[in-house]
Amino acid sequence: MDLACVFKCEAMQKIFSVLAMSGTLLLGGCESGPWNNPYPAAQASEKVIYTVFSERPKHLDPARSYNSNEYEFIGNIYEPPLQYHYLTRPYVLDPLTVESIPTPEFFDTQDKRLPANAPAESIAYTEYEVRIKKGIKYQPHPAFAKDPAGRWYYQALTPADLAKIDTLADFKHTDTRELVAEDYVYQIRRLAHPRIHSPVLSIMSTYIVGLKEYSTALAAYHETLKSRLELLGFLIQECEKLPASATVDFLWTKLKRQQQQQFLETLALSFTRDIDNVGPARQALKKTNLLLAELKSYPLGSLAVSELVPKLRAELIQAEKQFRDLDIGRFPLSGVRIVDRYTYRIRVHKQYPQLLYWMAMPFFAPVPIEADRFYNQKGLKEKNISLDWYPVGTGAYYLAKNDPNSKMIMQRNPNFRGMPYPTAGEATDRPHGLLQDAGQNMPFVDKIIYSLDAESIPVWNKFLQGYYDAAGVNSDSFDQAVKIDTVGDARLTDEMEKKGIRLLTT
């Protein structure tokens, strides 16, 4: 595989940036043709990159992921508003899905707009308006699929439906839709999701206006739903302990007696200052009080508990769904708002120009609400079908196979709009051939196959055998691959040059 093909591939640009930072040297396969091809001849005409990963990714959800080995994948699937120009140094931001780099607008404490040269001490808020390009499409995915009548195929899955499903590829129907501003706003809200535990929530809450208050309200609501879920389950258990002939009134009396006893116990523990036990006692009393409050919503008296249990089970099913599909749009987020279908605004406290650099990271990439609802359905997570396992993006590639114990395959996104190869770079880029495809549409590679290889020496040996198109140079192989010239520059050994291998250093 020609290393130039690697750089032609828009997806691999980000990947090789990561590899170059983790090791100082990177070697790519021959330019004139492979000296050894271990793959079937039928694959010779395919545009495939064979590469390696040494550590299985833990998270592919852009709100959670924060490791370079994970970014090798999601950096090619998700598209935040901005990106870094690949060849220009020092690093500069470029538009990715936006029409232009957002410019800051300043406001004082009275929300009055200030001039661009306003003194820093007068600026209470900075606002960025983000306008995304029209016509950008998501990868094909079952979350978007509808039948001819406009009904969702897979947004209300039953146990019978799931019996036929083992992987995401088992869903027969897929579809896409256009990227809109709401998808970016939805992802920013997801940073505060109590079950996601985004690593950037604390710092973003410091700057994005209203995010801290929103996060607190959402967490409290989440706890309320969780408590109700536990409460209904416990109440069903209590009902099932009673004889079939027992009435709700009987259960009420039993719990009322329990409440009085727990109150006295809590009071006694408080007087004796038994700190270790007073907390759990108060929690037990609180739970009984909640049970009594819940029972108030049902008719007492002669209603048998056997009649109450089906009602409770039906409510439990609804409570489970409400808990799974946590409504993150329930509370206002004052610092982030949708202007129109393709425009949204982010407001931060004072001045925070670093926000633009955050907007080049997957944390600010779009997530469609359909994907979240699809993956939240009961039974999918148990099959490893989740956003953390199968990302949904608008980028050049999608994850066609996720087997982190063996192989991961990135396939060209058929809905990707294409992107021109950079036309400018450093002074040495043109003589090194890095600009020979300037302006051509990317990506040029149809598939990227990652194989798990945890040890560096086998990776190097397989690179020499033609299994991989690029590899880092470890200390054991350094003398075989690299020599240092009289002025201290790293160069390839004659053996490597004869094979047509190219060396990248940083």
Side-chain angles (χ1 to χ4, degrees):
M1 180 67 67
D2 178 358
L3 187 60
C5 290
V6 173
F7 287 99
K8 291 174 189 174
C9 168
E10 186 270 346
M12 294 302 289
Q13 294 177 4
K14 302 182 185 73
I15 293 172
F16 276 18
S17 294
V18 172
L19 288 174
M21 286 188 287
S22 60
T24 44
L25 299 172
L26 185 69
L27 294 118
C30 65
E31 190 168 338
S32 58
W35 60 88
N36 180 49
N37 186 0
Y39 296 103
Q43 296 180 15
S45 62
E46 295 182 0
K47 298 175 182 178
V48 181
I49 289 177
Y50 297 94
T51 186
V52 63
F53 69 105
S54 59
E55 182 183 355
R56 61 177 292 168
K58 293 180 181 178
H59 299 296
L60 297 178
D61 183 334
R64 304 181 73 180
S65 174
Y66 208 6
N67 289 321
S68 60
N69 69 304
E70 296 163 355
Y71 276 26
E72 289 187 31
F73 300 98
I74 67 173
N76 303 298
I77 296 170
Y78 288 106
E79 292 189 296
L82 306 177
Q83 64 178 344
Y84 288 96
H85 190 288
Y86 182 61
L87 297 177
T88 301
R89 299 295 182 271
Y91 293 107
V92 295
L93 290 171
D94 264 352
L96 181 53
T97 61
V98 294
E99 294 179 352
S100 59
I101 304 288
T103 55
E105 297 177 5
F106 304 122
F107 299 84
D108 63 15
T109 55
Q110 304 302 313
D111 211 22
K112 180 182 176 182
R113 192 185 300 271
L114 299 173
N117 60 352
E121 60 271 16
S122 68
I123 298 173
Y125 307 106
T126 303
E127 199 164 88
Y128 293 91
E129 183 169 276
V130 186
R131 297 179 183 177
I132 64 174
K133 300 171 185 174
K134 298 178 181 179
I136 297 174
K137 296 290 185 71
Y138 282 98
Q139 67 187 66
H141 195 276
F144 302 120
K146 293 182 180 180
D147 66 17
R151 296 181 296 253
W152 296 108
Y153 273 116
Y154 306 120
Q155 291 289 358
L157 295 171
T158 65
D161 295 329
L162 289 176
K164 309 167 190 174
I165 301 298
D166 292 310
T167 71
L168 191 68
D170 293 330
F171 290 97
K172 179 181 176 182
H173 302 282
T174 63
D175 206 343
T176 185
R177 74 156 168 83
E178 187 182 28
L179 173 69
V180 294
E182 184 181 7
D183 301 330
Y184 284 101
V185 173
Y186 186 75
Q187 167 67 353
I188 295 172
R189 287 178 174 271
R190 290 184 74 247
L191 299 178
H193 197 300
R195 294 197 298 271
I196 289 179
H197 306 294
S198 176
V200 299
L201 174 61
S202 60
I203 188 168
M204 288 297 104
S205 296
T206 305
Y207 293 104
I208 296 178
V209 174
L211 185 58
K212 185 175 183 179
E213 294 78 8
Y214 168 78
S215 174
T216 301
L218 190 62
Y221 177 58
H222 178 265
E223 282 304 307
T224 298
L225 294 178
K226 184 179 179 182
S227 296
R228 175 158 174 73
L229 200 59
E230 294 172 350
L231 182 70
L232 288 168
F234 186 75
L235 198 53
I236 291 170
Q237 289 179 358
E238 289 296 303
C239 288
E240 290 176 338
K241 291 177 185 177
L242 299 175
S245 58
T247 64
V248 176
D249 190 38
F250 178 81
L251 177 59
W252 174 275
T253 304
K254 177 186 174 184
L255 290 173
K256 197 70 179 172
R257 196 180 304 121
Q258 180 177 306
Q259 178 199 45
Q260 293 167 354
Q261 184 178 347
Q262 288 172 340
F263 174 74
L264 293 173
E265 288 176 359
T266 305
L267 200 62
L269 290 169
S270 298
F271 277 129
T272 57
R273 298 190 179 184
D274 188 348
I275 304 300
D276 291 336
N277 292 315
V278 70
R282 283 176 177 161
Q283 287 297 319
L285 177 59
K286 181 181 178 182
K287 190 171 190 177
T288 304
N289 289 338
L290 288 171
L291 288 168
L292 287 167
E294 181 68 28
L295 279 176
K296 275 187 178 180
S297 61
Y298 304 102
L300 303 180
S302 60
L303 181 68
V305 292
S306 57
E307 297 176 79
L308 178 61
V309 168
K311 296 178 183 289
L312 294 174
R313 289 194 185 282
E315 291 193 22
L316 182 64
I317 291 171
Q318 289 300 315
E320 285 176 341
K321 187 176 188 310
Q322 198 175 19
F323 182 73
R324 283 197 311 272
D325 298 337
L326 181 65
D327 182 9
I328 62 175
R330 183 183 180 90
F331 303 99
L333 176 52
S334 58
V336 185
R337 61 186 177 89
I338 297 172
V339 178
D340 58 40
R341 180 174 174 83
Y342 303 103
T343 311
Y344 66 101
R345 281 180 163 256
I346 302 180
R347 174 172 283 204
V348 295
H349 292 287
K350 300 186 181 298
Q351 287 179 288
Y352 187 56
Q354 294 93 325
L355 182 69
L356 290 177
Y357 297 93
W358 281 106
M359 290 171 66
M361 297 185 73
F363 294 115
F364 285 81
V367 169
I369 191 170
E370 296 95 331
D372 231 6
R373 288 174 177 167
F374 170 82
Y375 285 127
N376 282 339
Q377 293 179 92
K378 189 174 182 180
L380 285 180
K381 188 176 181 181
E382 291 74 14
K383 294 175 180 283
N384 256 349
I385 300 177
S386 68
L387 194 68
D388 222 18
W389 199 262
Y390 291 108
V392 185
T394 60
Y397 295 88
Y398 68 92
L399 190 60
K401 180 177 181 178
N402 186 350
D403 181 3
N405 295 317
S406 174
K407 201 177 294 289
M408 299 180 75
I409 299 176
M410 303 276 283
Q411 193 83 34
R412 177 201 284 260
N413 175 7
N415 298 330
F416 185 62
R417 61 201 177 279
M419 188 173 295
Y421 187 89
T423 57
E426 295 183 84
T428 56
D429 288 343
R430 192 170 297 280
H432 286 166
L434 296 182
L435 286 169
Q436 66 184 23
D437 297 300
Q440 293 191 33
N441 200 40
M442 299 184 294
F444 296 122
V445 176
D446 295 329
K447 186 186 294 185
I448 310 167
I449 300 176
Y450 299 82
S451 298
L452 178 65
D453 241 322
E455 301 295 330
S456 59
I457 294 178
V459 169
W460 171 252
N461 290 335
K462 287 181 182 178
F463 167 71
L464 292 180
Q465 294 167 25
Y467 283 97
Y468 302 136
D469 293 315
V473 184
N474 57 54
S475 57
D476 295 319
S477 310
F478 191 88
D479 290 339
Q480 179 187 4
V482 178
K483 60 183 178 183
I484 306 300
D485 63 18
T486 54
V487 295
D489 291 334
R491 298 184 181 278
L492 285 172
T493 60
D494 294 341
E495 179 189 359
M496 296 295 107
E497 285 187 346
K498 287 176 183 178
K499 293 180 181 292
I501 292 174
R502 299 175 63 188
L503 175 68
L504 292 171
T505 65
T506 185

